[in-house]
Every structure is written in structure tokens, then in C-alpha cells.
Amino acid sequence: MPKISAASVADHRAQQRAALVRAAHELLEEGDAARVTFGAVADRLGLARNSVYKYFGSRQELLEAVVVEAAPRWTAPIRTAMAAADTPEGRVAAFVTAQLALVRDGEHRVAQALAGDRDAAALRAGAEHAHRDILQPLVETLEELGDDSPRRTAGLLQGFVNAATKAIESGDDFAAVNERATRLAVAALAGVAGTATGATGADGTVTGATGADGAATGSSGAAARG
């Protein structure tokens, strides 16, 4: 492992701990949580296995640290993309696209590997906290639209993302899946109580929606027709 230069012993320990978490994260990205052992993490950094115990008392504690470290990487792109959108429809579109981009880029493999791990139950609290953080900007958008049950609606809209995630993971075209999922999510806003936007015309077109990539996301009729 390259020598870590730090201003103090405390800084050195913090850097070492962060390096161990990154190594565990890399192993999870390869898709098999069972490979995340103290021995494997130590080998990746060129350390002795027992040195990992100086920083983590158990494998579960290490995986919990991975969740804490990874959560901002899951939530920050979503919040940034939504903040850049000018309309509620655009923010919903950005919510979908930003998540699917994480799937495309492989970050979702970490969450999948953790969900299938033998310590998944112990990690659930951290994962649920991250999930709430992901949904929160969508909840705020739905509140702005006058939804009387924004968290329930947010969970249902997340269902479009979950289905699109499975499609991308199965090899379907990212751009096509993202465009369709975005249209469906934006069209669903027409059913939100108090929504003045996302009006549906006689031809089935939902107006005013823009995806995170700047593309129009409008036609519920086209989405239904396939």
C-alpha cells in the first residue's frame, strides 16, 4: 500500500480507515458481498489481516461504514439534477434519470450486493435512511404540487425507477428505458391532487416536462402505445 502522508496520527488513522472502506466498496462493486472479508480488504491494500481490526470490530461494522460512505454518492447526484430543473415536471424527470444513470454507471451493484448479504438485516437501518434521503426531494416536489400524500406518491413513482433498473440490468437500452420511465413518471403527475401542471390534452400528450438531459418527456399516449 502506498505510504499515507498525514499531519497527525489521528489524520493517518482517518485516512487508513477511509482506504479500508474504499477497498470494501470496490469489492462490492464486483457484485459479490461474500468476497468482502477482512482478509480480502487487507490484501487489496497490502496490509496484514489483523490490522483491519484496529479500525473495525467486525465485518458488519465495516459494511455499515460502506453504506454511510456511499449514501451521499447516491443522493447527491439526484439532488443536484433536481435542483437544476426549472419545473416540477423537470424535477421528477431528473429524479428518474439521475437514479438510472447511477445504475448505468454501476453504483447500483453496491446496493444490490449489500441487499443480498448475510448481514443485510443489520444493514437495513442505514439503507432505509439512504432511501429516505433519495425520496425526500421528490416528496418536496410533490408537496409543491399540492399532493395530499406525497410520501406515498413518491414511493409509487419510485416503482417506475425500480422497474427501469431491472430492465437496464437485463441489458435493455439505457436511453430508451430512461426516456420511457421518465415519460411515465411525469404523466403520473396528472393524478396528483392539486396538480395544476402536467395537463393532458385530447391527444394524450402531457405538456411541460423536461428530462434531466434537457429532452422533452411529454407524451403519455406514446408511452402507452409503446
Side-chain angles (χ1 to χ4, degrees), residues 139-173:
V139 170
E140 293 167 1
T141 295
L142 293 168
E143 288 173 342
E144 179 183 339
L145 288 169
D147 189 348
D148 58 0
S149 186
R151 189 159 294 279
R152 179 179 293 115
T153 302
L156 293 171
L157 290 176
Q158 179 65 30
F160 289 122
V161 179
N162 296 344
T165 293
K166 291 181 180 179
I168 292 170
E169 289 174 340
S170 70
D172 206 343
D173 179 69

Side-chain angles (χ1 to χ4, degrees), residues 187 190 198-209 217-222 225:
T200 304
D203 60 355
T205 298
V206 178
T207 59
T217 60
S219 177
S220 63
R225 289 191 297 272

Side-chain angles (χ1 to χ4, degrees), residues 3-226:
K3 183 177 180 181
I4 296 178
S5 176
S8 66
V9 172
D11 288 342
H12 175 74
R13 284 187 57 81
Q15 290 181 24
Q16 286 279 59
R17 188 180 189 279
L20 292 167
V21 172
R22 284 195 300 272
H25 188 280
E26 290 170 3
L27 288 166
L28 286 167
E29 284 183 320
E30 295 166 11
D32 184 2
R35 296 183 58 194
V36 183
T37 64
F38 278 13
V41 170
D43 286 346
R44 183 156 292 212
L45 297 177
L47 299 173
R49 180 178 181 277
N50 60 6
S51 64
V52 183
Y53 285 97
K54 297 177 182 178
Y55 301 91
F56 300 99
S58 66
R59 176 178 180 274
Q60 177 186 322
E61 187 178 326
L62 172 60
L63 292 177
E64 288 172 350
V66 172
V67 172
V68 170
E69 186 270 341
R73 292 212 301 272
W74 300 336
T75 58
I78 298 169
R79 288 183 175 274
T80 298
M82 292 182 73
D86 295 329
T87 65
E89 297 91 346
R91 288 195 288 278
V92 170
F95 174 83
V96 173
T97 296
Q99 284 196 72
L100 295 183
L102 289 171
V103 175
R104 177 196 60 198
D105 297 341
E107 187 64 34
H108 187 66
R109 286 196 296 269
V110 174
Q112 275 190 319
L114 287 169
D117 187 68
R118 64 177 184 268
D119 290 326
L123 296 169
R124 192 166 295 134
E128 288 178 352
H129 179 76
H131 182 65
R132 286 194 299 271
D133 282 350
I134 287 172
L135 287 182
Q136 186 55 36
L138 179 59
V139 170
E140 293 167 1
T141 295
L142 293 168
E143 288 173 342
E144 179 183 339
L145 288 169
D147 189 348
D148 58 0
S149 186
R151 189 159 294 279
R152 179 179 293 115
T153 302
L156 293 171
L157 290 176
Q158 179 65 30
F160 289 122
V161 179
N162 296 344
T165 293
K166 291 181 180 179
I168 292 170
E169 289 174 340
S170 70
D172 206 343
D173 179 69
F174 170 80
V177 171
N178 176 61
E179 190 265 351
R180 184 59 51 85
T182 301
R183 284 187 180 186
L184 290 171
V186 172
L189 295 182
V192 174
T195 299
T197 53
T200 304
D203 60 355
T205 298
V206 178
T207 59
T210 304
D213 59 356
T217 60
S219 177
S220 63
R225 289 191 297 272

